[in-house]
Amino acid sequence: MKLLTFVLLLLSTSSWAMTVDELTEKAQHNDTDAQFQLAERYLAGDGVEASDQEARYWLERAATAGNQGAIQTLITLSLKQSQDSKHLNQAIYWLTQLAINGDTQAQARLGELYEKQSEPPNALDMAEIWYRIAAKHDENAQLGYERVLEQKFNAQRAKQVSSIDQLEVAFDSPEIELNPVEKSKASASNSAQPWIYLVAALVIAIMALLVWHRKTLNAHAQQERNTDVRASQETLKLREQVKIQDSTLKQQKRQLDTLYRQFKKLQASKQTSSEPAAKDNKLALACAVFGYKATNIPSSKEVKVRYKQLCKIYHPDLQGSEEEMKRLNGALKIVLTSVNN
């Protein structure tokens, strides 16, 4: 431990032993430690004529590069000269940078600065924000947060009392004449009117807040219900379309199976030994598979389109079988050969 302390002291002594010119040269090459040390020299007038302007210049350059020592020194220096709005704004700027990065002390100090400000923008609101952020880790910030809330409540109550006083002044105007009975009633109720107005205002405000909250909840619930209804309707439509397509495919399959069985019987009854007749029967049977007549076969392009449609019926992965798919492929060859010839 003693060795480490001696090394740190030696390094510190060697760094301060550097001349101003050497520090300036390093600072100009963006050495943040040299910039910070040079600013300290200008502030203390050590080896150079003291200059607040030169010190601020090098502190700002080091702080912009992220040197924490320079940031803290710049904040302290700016707060000492906070009577100048320019320096006060600079202190707030650097405190804000630290506060954004989670520095609790910077958050609390920002709350203190904003609390003491009397000029806009809404100093108490800014103080409340930073006190509230820092209150999670700092008891003093929690006290500051409660103090700001109390000030805002007192200011709001003062406005309400002022409004009530103005109403009373208008009511007590000499231009308004009351009969003796009404005057006695008015004098008896004057003492209770401020509290009545205050309570009425609070009740109205609470009722308005409850109504707004209920409307918001109802609007969200209605929006969710509408979304669910639309989704249900779309699902029903898709299911109906799928049912219709399945029914159509099954009907086409039954019709084609019927035609195929009829032509199969016709082929068996009219089978002869002549080759031309056999070819005609094969062609008629193939055309029956596609739903055509042998005397009215369309173009090969239309035949291929019809083949793709029938694949959706006879393919084993869909609703058909391997045997039906083989029969369809054989029929395709016979029909295309007849068309091409």
Side-chain angles (χ1 to χ4, degrees), residues 98-100 102-112 126-145:
L98 295 177
I100 291 173
D103 191 321
T104 304
Q105 293 183 354
Q107 295 167 356
R109 291 181 73 181
L110 271 176
E112 294 174 1
M126 297 301 296
E128 178 186 350
I129 291 172
W130 289 113
Y131 273 144
R132 185 174 181 180
I133 294 174
K136 298 177 181 178
H137 309 286
D138 190 326
E139 294 181 357
N140 293 328
Q142 177 64 33
L143 294 175
Y145 176 63

PDB file of all heavy atoms in Angstrom, residues 98-100 102-112 126-145:
ATOM      1  N   LEU A  98     -24.355  15.113 -16.415  1.00  0.00           N
ATOM      2  CA  LEU A  98     -24.085  14.098 -15.393  1.00  0.00           C
ATOM      3  C   LEU A  98     -25.365  13.433 -14.917  1.00  0.00           C
ATOM      4  O   LEU A  98     -25.407  12.222 -14.685  1.00  0.00           O
ATOM      5  CB  LEU A  98     -23.376  14.763 -14.206  1.00  0.00           C
ATOM      6  CG  LEU A  98     -21.969  15.325 -14.481  1.00  0.00           C
ATOM      7  CD1 LEU A  98     -21.431  16.016 -13.231  1.00  0.00           C
ATOM      8  CD2 LEU A  98     -21.012  14.230 -14.938  1.00  0.00           C
ATOM      9  N   ALA A  99     -26.436  14.229 -14.767  1.00  0.00           N
ATOM     10  CA  ALA A  99     -27.706  13.686 -14.283  1.00  0.00           C
ATOM     11  C   ALA A  99     -28.277  12.669 -15.248  1.00  0.00           C
ATOM     12  O   ALA A  99     -28.845  11.648 -14.841  1.00  0.00           O
ATOM     13  CB  ALA A  99     -28.700  14.825 -14.051  1.00  0.00           C
ATOM     14  N   ILE A 100     -28.171  12.933 -16.535  1.00  0.00           N
ATOM     15  CA  ILE A 100     -28.678  11.998 -17.548  1.00  0.00           C
ATOM     16  C   ILE A 100     -27.954  10.660 -17.468  1.00  0.00           C
ATOM     17  O   ILE A 100     -28.537   9.605 -17.699  1.00  0.00           O
ATOM     18  CB  ILE A 100     -28.543  12.620 -18.956  1.00  0.00           C
ATOM     19  CG1 ILE A 100     -29.517  13.792 -19.104  1.00  0.00           C
ATOM     20  CG2 ILE A 100     -28.793  11.595 -20.046  1.00  0.00           C
ATOM     21  CD1 ILE A 100     -29.347  14.560 -20.380  1.00  0.00           C
ATOM     22  N   GLY A 102     -27.000   9.278 -14.799  1.00  0.00           N
ATOM     23  CA  GLY A 102     -27.327   8.584 -13.554  1.00  0.00           C
ATOM     24  C   GLY A 102     -26.622   9.095 -12.321  1.00  0.00           C
ATOM     25  O   GLY A 102     -26.647   8.445 -11.285  1.00  0.00           O
ATOM     26  N   ASP A 103     -25.963  10.258 -12.382  1.00  0.00           N
ATOM     27  CA  ASP A 103     -25.285  10.826 -11.224  1.00  0.00           C
ATOM     28  C   ASP A 103     -26.338  11.399 -10.273  1.00  0.00           C
ATOM     29  O   ASP A 103     -26.949  12.440 -10.539  1.00  0.00           O
ATOM     30  CB  ASP A 103     -24.304  11.927 -11.673  1.00  0.00           C
ATOM     31  CG  ASP A 103     -23.380  12.362 -10.534  1.00  0.00           C
ATOM     32  OD1 ASP A 103     -23.865  12.452  -9.387  1.00  0.00           O
ATOM     33  OD2 ASP A 103     -22.195  12.629 -10.797  1.00  0.00           O
ATOM     34  N   THR A 104     -26.539  10.744  -9.119  1.00  0.00           N
ATOM     35  CA  THR A 104     -27.584  11.161  -8.184  1.00  0.00           C
ATOM     36  C   THR A 104     -27.307  12.544  -7.604  1.00  0.00           C
ATOM     37  O   THR A 104     -28.222  13.357  -7.438  1.00  0.00           O
ATOM     38  CB  THR A 104     -27.706  10.139  -7.040  1.00  0.00           C
ATOM     39  OG1 THR A 104     -27.953   8.852  -7.599  1.00  0.00           O
ATOM     40  CG2 THR A 104     -28.837  10.498  -6.110  1.00  0.00           C
ATOM     41  N   GLN A 105     -26.046  12.815  -7.264  1.00  0.00           N
ATOM     42  CA  GLN A 105     -25.711  14.129  -6.700  1.00  0.00           C
ATOM     43  C   GLN A 105     -26.000  15.246  -7.702  1.00  0.00           C
ATOM     44  O   GLN A 105     -26.515  16.310  -7.326  1.00  0.00           O
ATOM     45  CB  GLN A 105     -24.242  14.158  -6.284  1.00  0.00           C
ATOM     46  CG  GLN A 105     -23.923  13.244  -5.110  1.00  0.00           C
ATOM     47  CD  GLN A 105     -22.481  13.346  -4.664  1.00  0.00           C
ATOM     48  OE1 GLN A 105     -21.670  14.025  -5.309  1.00  0.00           O
ATOM     49  NE2 GLN A 105     -22.142  12.688  -3.569  1.00  0.00           N
ATOM     50  N   ALA A 106     -25.698  14.992  -8.969  1.00  0.00           N
ATOM     51  CA  ALA A 106     -25.990  16.000  -9.989  1.00  0.00           C
ATOM     52  C   ALA A 106     -27.490  16.214 -10.118  1.00  0.00           C
ATOM     53  O   ALA A 106     -27.957  17.344 -10.284  1.00  0.00           O
ATOM     54  CB  ALA A 106     -25.394  15.573 -11.333  1.00  0.00           C
ATOM     55  N   GLN A 107     -28.272  15.151 -10.037  1.00  0.00           N
ATOM     56  CA  GLN A 107     -29.731  15.279 -10.106  1.00  0.00           C
ATOM     57  C   GLN A 107     -30.262  16.124  -8.957  1.00  0.00           C
ATOM     58  O   GLN A 107     -31.112  17.002  -9.146  1.00  0.00           O
ATOM     59  CB  GLN A 107     -30.361  13.887 -10.087  1.00  0.00           C
ATOM     60  CG  GLN A 107     -30.027  13.047 -11.309  1.00  0.00           C
ATOM     61  CD  GLN A 107     -30.386  11.579 -11.136  1.00  0.00           C
ATOM     62  OE1 GLN A 107     -30.816  11.176 -10.066  1.00  0.00           O
ATOM     63  NE2 GLN A 107     -30.211  10.788 -12.185  1.00  0.00           N
ATOM     64  N   ALA A 108     -29.739  15.870  -7.736  1.00  0.00           N
ATOM     65  CA  ALA A 108     -30.196  16.630  -6.572  1.00  0.00           C
ATOM     66  C   ALA A 108     -29.795  18.102  -6.681  1.00  0.00           C
ATOM     67  O   ALA A 108     -30.573  19.002  -6.341  1.00  0.00           O
ATOM     68  CB  ALA A 108     -29.623  16.019  -5.298  1.00  0.00           C
ATOM     69  N   ARG A 109     -28.580  18.363  -7.154  1.00  0.00           N
ATOM     70  CA  ARG A 109     -28.123  19.766  -7.296  1.00  0.00           C
ATOM     71  C   ARG A 109     -28.943  20.499  -8.352  1.00  0.00           C
ATOM     72  O   ARG A 109     -29.235  21.684  -8.202  1.00  0.00           O
ATOM     73  CB  ARG A 109     -26.644  19.779  -7.653  1.00  0.00           C
ATOM     74  CG  ARG A 109     -25.750  19.302  -6.515  1.00  0.00           C
ATOM     75  CD  ARG A 109     -24.284  19.329  -6.863  1.00  0.00           C
ATOM     76  NE  ARG A 109     -23.783  20.692  -6.908  1.00  0.00           N
ATOM     77  CZ  ARG A 109     -22.512  20.999  -7.217  1.00  0.00           C
ATOM     78  NH1 ARG A 109     -21.658  20.024  -7.521  1.00  0.00           N
ATOM     79  NH2 ARG A 109     -22.126  22.256  -7.246  1.00  0.00           N
ATOM     80  N   LEU A 110     -29.323  19.793  -9.406  1.00  0.00           N
ATOM     81  CA  LEU A 110     -30.209  20.417 -10.398  1.00  0.00           C
ATOM     82  C   LEU A 110     -31.539  20.793  -9.763  1.00  0.00           C
ATOM     83  O   LEU A 110     -32.091  21.872 -10.028  1.00  0.00           O
ATOM     84  CB  LEU A 110     -30.449  19.446 -11.568  1.00  0.00           C
ATOM     85  CG  LEU A 110     -29.449  19.504 -12.716  1.00  0.00           C
ATOM     86  CD1 LEU A 110     -29.777  18.424 -13.728  1.00  0.00           C
ATOM     87  CD2 LEU A 110     -29.473  20.858 -13.394  1.00  0.00           C
ATOM     88  N   GLY A 111     -32.067  19.898  -8.930  1.00  0.00           N
ATOM     89  CA  GLY A 111     -33.317  20.207  -8.245  1.00  0.00           C
ATOM     90  C   GLY A 111     -33.182  21.462  -7.387  1.00  0.00           C
ATOM     91  O   GLY A 111     -34.061  22.323  -7.371  1.00  0.00           O
ATOM     92  N   GLU A 112     -32.057  21.587  -6.671  1.00  0.00           N
ATOM     93  CA  GLU A 112     -31.836  22.772  -5.841  1.00  0.00           C
ATOM     94  C   GLU A 112     -31.761  24.040  -6.692  1.00  0.00           C
ATOM     95  O   GLU A 112     -32.329  25.079  -6.326  1.00  0.00           O
ATOM     96  CB  GLU A 112     -30.543  22.598  -5.047  1.00  0.00           C
ATOM     97  CG  GLU A 112     -30.611  21.473  -4.011  1.00  0.00           C
ATOM     98  CD  GLU A 112     -29.267  21.228  -3.355  1.00  0.00           C
ATOM     99  OE1 GLU A 112     -28.305  21.957  -3.706  1.00  0.00           O
ATOM    100  OE2 GLU A 112     -29.163  20.325  -2.510  1.00  0.00           O
ATOM    101  N   MET A 126     -39.274  21.881 -13.092  1.00  0.00           N
ATOM    102  CA  MET A 126     -37.968  21.277 -13.360  1.00  0.00           C
ATOM    103  C   MET A 126     -37.356  20.745 -12.067  1.00  0.00           C
ATOM    104  O   MET A 126     -36.760  19.668 -12.042  1.00  0.00           O
ATOM    105  CB  MET A 126     -37.043  22.313 -14.005  1.00  0.00           C
ATOM    106  CG  MET A 126     -37.521  22.823 -15.360  1.00  0.00           C
ATOM    107  SD  MET A 126     -37.702  21.488 -16.574  1.00  0.00           S
ATOM    108  CE  MET A 126     -36.007  20.945 -16.721  1.00  0.00           C
ATOM    109  N   ALA A 127     -37.509  21.528 -10.968  1.00  0.00           N
ATOM    110  CA  ALA A 127     -36.983  21.066  -9.683  1.00  0.00           C
ATOM    111  C   ALA A 127     -37.665  19.775  -9.261  1.00  0.00           C
ATOM    112  O   ALA A 127     -37.022  18.847  -8.764  1.00  0.00           O
ATOM    113  CB  ALA A 127     -37.196  22.147  -8.631  1.00  0.00           C
ATOM    114  N   GLU A 128     -38.981  19.692  -9.475  1.00  0.00           N
ATOM    115  CA  GLU A 128     -39.723  18.488  -9.108  1.00  0.00           C
ATOM    116  C   GLU A 128     -39.219  17.278  -9.881  1.00  0.00           C
ATOM    117  O   GLU A 128     -39.054  16.182  -9.321  1.00  0.00           O
ATOM    118  CB  GLU A 128     -41.206  18.702  -9.389  1.00  0.00           C
ATOM    119  CG  GLU A 128     -42.057  17.474  -9.072  1.00  0.00           C
ATOM    120  CD  GLU A 128     -43.505  17.654  -9.491  1.00  0.00           C
ATOM    121  OE1 GLU A 128     -43.873  18.788  -9.852  1.00  0.00           O
ATOM    122  OE2 GLU A 128     -44.251  16.658  -9.473  1.00  0.00           O
ATOM    123  N   ILE A 129     -38.936  17.471 -11.170  1.00  0.00           N
ATOM    124  CA  ILE A 129     -38.481  16.352 -12.009  1.00  0.00           C
ATOM    125  C   ILE A 129     -37.163  15.792 -11.495  1.00  0.00           C
ATOM    126  O   ILE A 129     -37.012  14.579 -11.280  1.00  0.00           O
ATOM    127  CB  ILE A 129     -38.349  16.813 -13.475  1.00  0.00           C
ATOM    128  CG1 ILE A 129     -39.740  17.088 -14.064  1.00  0.00           C
ATOM    129  CG2 ILE A 129     -37.615  15.762 -14.307  1.00  0.00           C
ATOM    130  CD1 ILE A 129     -39.704  17.719 -15.416  1.00  0.00           C
ATOM    131  N   TRP A 130     -36.179  16.673 -11.248  1.00  0.00           N
ATOM    132  CA  TRP A 130     -34.854  16.187 -10.858  1.00  0.00           C
ATOM    133  C   TRP A 130     -34.843  15.680  -9.422  1.00  0.00           C
ATOM    134  O   TRP A 130     -34.148  14.712  -9.104  1.00  0.00           O
ATOM    135  CB  TRP A 130     -33.823  17.291 -11.065  1.00  0.00           C
ATOM    136  CG  TRP A 130     -33.560  17.541 -12.510  1.00  0.00           C
ATOM    137  CD1 TRP A 130     -33.859  18.641 -13.240  1.00  0.00           C
ATOM    138  CD2 TRP A 130     -32.958  16.624 -13.428  1.00  0.00           C
ATOM    139  NE1 TRP A 130     -33.494  18.475 -14.550  1.00  0.00           N
ATOM    140  CE2 TRP A 130     -32.929  17.258 -14.698  1.00  0.00           C
ATOM    141  CE3 TRP A 130     -32.431  15.337 -13.317  1.00  0.00           C
ATOM    142  CZ2 TRP A 130     -32.410  16.651 -15.826  1.00  0.00           C
ATOM    143  CZ3 TRP A 130     -31.901  14.730 -14.445  1.00  0.00           C
ATOM    144  CH2 TRP A 130     -31.894  15.392 -15.674  1.00  0.00           C
ATOM    145  N   TYR A 131     -35.622  16.344  -8.533  1.00  0.00           N
ATOM    146  CA  TYR A 131     -35.723  15.820  -7.173  1.00  0.00           C
ATOM    147  C   TYR A 131     -36.321  14.414  -7.186  1.00  0.00           C
ATOM    148  O   TYR A 131     -35.898  13.518  -6.453  1.00  0.00           O
ATOM    149  CB  TYR A 131     -36.604  16.731  -6.329  1.00  0.00           C
ATOM    150  CG  TYR A 131     -35.857  17.877  -5.670  1.00  0.00           C
ATOM    151  CD1 TYR A 131     -36.460  19.129  -5.535  1.00  0.00           C
ATOM    152  CD2 TYR A 131     -34.570  17.708  -5.174  1.00  0.00           C
ATOM    153  CE1 TYR A 131     -35.789  20.182  -4.933  1.00  0.00           C
ATOM    154  CE2 TYR A 131     -33.895  18.758  -4.579  1.00  0.00           C
ATOM    155  CZ  TYR A 131     -34.509  19.992  -4.452  1.00  0.00           C
ATOM    156  OH  TYR A 131     -33.848  21.017  -3.863  1.00  0.00           O
ATOM    157  N   ARG A 132     -37.344  14.217  -8.024  1.00  0.00           N
ATOM    158  CA  ARG A 132     -38.026  12.920  -8.068  1.00  0.00           C
ATOM    159  C   ARG A 132     -37.093  11.828  -8.576  1.00  0.00           C
ATOM    160  O   ARG A 132     -37.114  10.700  -8.084  1.00  0.00           O
ATOM    161  CB  ARG A 132     -39.256  13.019  -8.961  1.00  0.00           C
ATOM    162  CG  ARG A 132     -40.094  11.760  -8.970  1.00  0.00           C
ATOM    163  CD  ARG A 132     -41.359  11.961  -9.751  1.00  0.00           C
ATOM    164  NE  ARG A 132     -42.193  10.776  -9.743  1.00  0.00           N
ATOM    165  CZ  ARG A 132     -43.355  10.679 -10.354  1.00  0.00           C
ATOM    166  NH1 ARG A 132     -43.845  11.710 -11.019  1.00  0.00           N
ATOM    167  NH2 ARG A 132     -44.053   9.569 -10.313  1.00  0.00           N
ATOM    168  N   ILE A 133     -36.262  12.156  -9.574  1.00  0.00           N
ATOM    169  CA  ILE A 133     -35.298  11.174 -10.101  1.00  0.00           C
ATOM    170  C   ILE A 133     -34.263  10.814  -9.044  1.00  0.00           C
ATOM    171  O   ILE A 133     -33.917   9.650  -8.831  1.00  0.00           O
ATOM    172  CB  ILE A 133     -34.619  11.723 -11.368  1.00  0.00           C
ATOM    173  CG1 ILE A 133     -35.659  11.868 -12.496  1.00  0.00           C
ATOM    174  CG2 ILE A 133     -33.480  10.825 -11.805  1.00  0.00           C
ATOM    175  CD1 ILE A 133     -35.123  12.534 -13.728  1.00  0.00           C
ATOM    176  N   ALA A 134     -33.755  11.838  -8.327  1.00  0.00           N
ATOM    177  CA  ALA A 134     -32.687  11.604  -7.345  1.00  0.00           C
ATOM    178  C   ALA A 134     -33.210  11.019  -6.045  1.00  0.00           C
ATOM    179  O   ALA A 134     -32.455  10.435  -5.276  1.00  0.00           O
ATOM    180  CB  ALA A 134     -31.968  12.924  -7.063  1.00  0.00           C
ATOM    181  N   ALA A 135     -34.520  11.153  -5.768  1.00  0.00           N
ATOM    182  CA  ALA A 135     -35.083  10.732  -4.486  1.00  0.00           C
ATOM    183  C   ALA A 135     -34.945   9.234  -4.247  1.00  0.00           C
ATOM    184  O   ALA A 135     -34.965   8.783  -3.101  1.00  0.00           O
ATOM    185  CB  ALA A 135     -36.556  11.133  -4.405  1.00  0.00           C
ATOM    186  N   LYS A 136     -34.800   8.453  -5.311  1.00  0.00           N
ATOM    187  CA  LYS A 136     -34.675   7.006  -5.156  1.00  0.00           C
ATOM    188  C   LYS A 136     -33.389   6.624  -4.411  1.00  0.00           C
ATOM    189  O   LYS A 136     -33.316   5.560  -3.802  1.00  0.00           O
ATOM    190  CB  LYS A 136     -34.703   6.321  -6.524  1.00  0.00           C
ATOM    191  CG  LYS A 136     -35.998   6.543  -7.282  1.00  0.00           C
ATOM    192  CD  LYS A 136     -35.925   5.887  -8.651  1.00  0.00           C
ATOM    193  CE  LYS A 136     -37.216   6.112  -9.433  1.00  0.00           C
ATOM    194  NZ  LYS A 136     -37.156   5.518 -10.781  1.00  0.00           N
ATOM    195  N   HIS A 137     -32.368   7.487  -4.479  1.00  0.00           N
ATOM    196  CA  HIS A 137     -31.071   7.156  -3.903  1.00  0.00           C
ATOM    197  C   HIS A 137     -30.576   8.210  -2.909  1.00  0.00           C
ATOM    198  O   HIS A 137     -29.496   8.038  -2.344  1.00  0.00           O
ATOM    199  CB  HIS A 137     -30.030   6.996  -5.014  1.00  0.00           C
ATOM    200  CG  HIS A 137     -30.457   6.082  -6.116  1.00  0.00           C
ATOM    201  ND1 HIS A 137     -30.504   4.710  -5.972  1.00  0.00           N
ATOM    202  CD2 HIS A 137     -30.901   6.346  -7.377  1.00  0.00           C
ATOM    203  CE1 HIS A 137     -30.927   4.166  -7.090  1.00  0.00           C
ATOM    204  NE2 HIS A 137     -31.188   5.126  -7.962  1.00  0.00           N
ATOM    205  N   ASP A 138     -31.317   9.287  -2.692  1.00  0.00           N
ATOM    206  CA  ASP A 138     -30.831  10.395  -1.886  1.00  0.00           C
ATOM    207  C   ASP A 138     -31.966  10.900  -0.989  1.00  0.00           C
ATOM    208  O   ASP A 138     -32.999  11.352  -1.472  1.00  0.00           O
ATOM    209  CB  ASP A 138     -30.316  11.522  -2.802  1.00  0.00           C
ATOM    210  CG  ASP A 138     -29.569  12.589  -2.014  1.00  0.00           C
ATOM    211  OD1 ASP A 138     -29.937  12.873  -0.862  1.00  0.00           O
ATOM    212  OD2 ASP A 138     -28.612  13.143  -2.568  1.00  0.00           O
ATOM    213  N   GLU A 139     -31.779  10.834   0.347  1.00  0.00           N
ATOM    214  CA  GLU A 139     -32.829  11.264   1.266  1.00  0.00           C
ATOM    215  C   GLU A 139     -33.059  12.770   1.184  1.00  0.00           C
ATOM    216  O   GLU A 139     -34.206  13.235   1.296  1.00  0.00           O
ATOM    217  CB  GLU A 139     -32.442  10.885   2.695  1.00  0.00           C
ATOM    218  CG  GLU A 139     -32.394   9.380   2.937  1.00  0.00           C
ATOM    219  CD  GLU A 139     -32.040   9.030   4.366  1.00  0.00           C
ATOM    220  OE1 GLU A 139     -31.785   9.984   5.153  1.00  0.00           O
ATOM    221  OE2 GLU A 139     -32.014   7.836   4.687  1.00  0.00           O
ATOM    222  N   ASN A 140     -31.975  13.550   1.012  1.00  0.00           N
ATOM    223  CA  ASN A 140     -32.137  15.002   0.888  1.00  0.00           C
ATOM    224  C   ASN A 140     -32.957  15.360  -0.340  1.00  0.00           C
ATOM    225  O   ASN A 140     -33.765  16.301  -0.315  1.00  0.00           O
ATOM    226  CB  ASN A 140     -30.773  15.683   0.827  1.00  0.00           C
ATOM    227  CG  ASN A 140     -30.021  15.562   2.142  1.00  0.00           C
ATOM    228  OD1 ASN A 140     -30.638  15.537   3.206  1.00  0.00           O
ATOM    229  ND2 ASN A 140     -28.706  15.473   2.083  1.00  0.00           N
ATOM    230  N   ALA A 141     -32.756  14.595  -1.437  1.00  0.00           N
ATOM    231  CA  ALA A 141     -33.545  14.839  -2.638  1.00  0.00           C
ATOM    232  C   ALA A 141     -35.017  14.530  -2.387  1.00  0.00           C
ATOM    233  O   ALA A 141     -35.903  15.219  -2.889  1.00  0.00           O
ATOM    234  CB  ALA A 141     -33.014  14.001  -3.797  1.00  0.00           C
ATOM    235  N   GLN A 142     -35.296  13.486  -1.575  1.00  0.00           N
ATOM    236  CA  GLN A 142     -36.682  13.158  -1.231  1.00  0.00           C
ATOM    237  C   GLN A 142     -37.329  14.302  -0.456  1.00  0.00           C
ATOM    238  O   GLN A 142     -38.483  14.663  -0.702  1.00  0.00           O
ATOM    239  CB  GLN A 142     -36.712  11.872  -0.403  1.00  0.00           C
ATOM    240  CG  GLN A 142     -38.093  11.462   0.074  1.00  0.00           C
ATOM    241  CD  GLN A 142     -39.026  11.127  -1.066  1.00  0.00           C
ATOM    242  OE1 GLN A 142     -38.594  10.629  -2.087  1.00  0.00           O
ATOM    243  NE2 GLN A 142     -40.301  11.425  -0.900  1.00  0.00           N
ATOM    244  N   LEU A 143     -36.568  14.889   0.486  1.00  0.00           N
ATOM    245  CA  LEU A 143     -37.090  16.030   1.233  1.00  0.00           C
ATOM    246  C   LEU A 143     -37.337  17.215   0.306  1.00  0.00           C
ATOM    247  O   LEU A 143     -38.340  17.932   0.438  1.00  0.00           O
ATOM    248  CB  LEU A 143     -36.093  16.418   2.341  1.00  0.00           C
ATOM    249  CG  LEU A 143     -35.907  15.374   3.456  1.00  0.00           C
ATOM    250  CD1 LEU A 143     -34.819  15.826   4.412  1.00  0.00           C
ATOM    251  CD2 LEU A 143     -37.217  15.153   4.207  1.00  0.00           C
ATOM    252  N   GLY A 144     -36.398  17.426  -0.635  1.00  0.00           N
ATOM    253  CA  GLY A 144     -36.587  18.513  -1.596  1.00  0.00           C
ATOM    254  C   GLY A 144     -37.807  18.298  -2.461  1.00  0.00           C
ATOM    255  O   GLY A 144     -38.557  19.231  -2.766  1.00  0.00           O
ATOM    256  N   TYR A 145     -38.035  17.024  -2.868  1.00  0.00           N
ATOM    257  CA  TYR A 145     -39.198  16.698  -3.692  1.00  0.00           C
ATOM    258  C   TYR A 145     -40.499  17.007  -2.942  1.00  0.00           C
ATOM    259  O   TYR A 145     -41.438  17.607  -3.495  1.00  0.00           O
ATOM    260  CB  TYR A 145     -39.137  15.218  -4.059  1.00  0.00           C
ATOM    261  CG  TYR A 145     -40.317  14.704  -4.842  1.00  0.00           C
ATOM    262  CD1 TYR A 145     -40.606  15.190  -6.113  1.00  0.00           C
ATOM    263  CD2 TYR A 145     -41.134  13.727  -4.310  1.00  0.00           C
ATOM    264  CE1 TYR A 145     -41.691  14.720  -6.828  1.00  0.00           C
ATOM    265  CE2 TYR A 145     -42.220  13.246  -5.014  1.00  0.00           C
ATOM    266  CZ  TYR A 145     -42.493  13.747  -6.269  1.00  0.00           C
ATOM    267  OH  TYR A 145     -43.563  13.281  -6.977  1.00  0.00           O
TER     268      TYR A 145
END
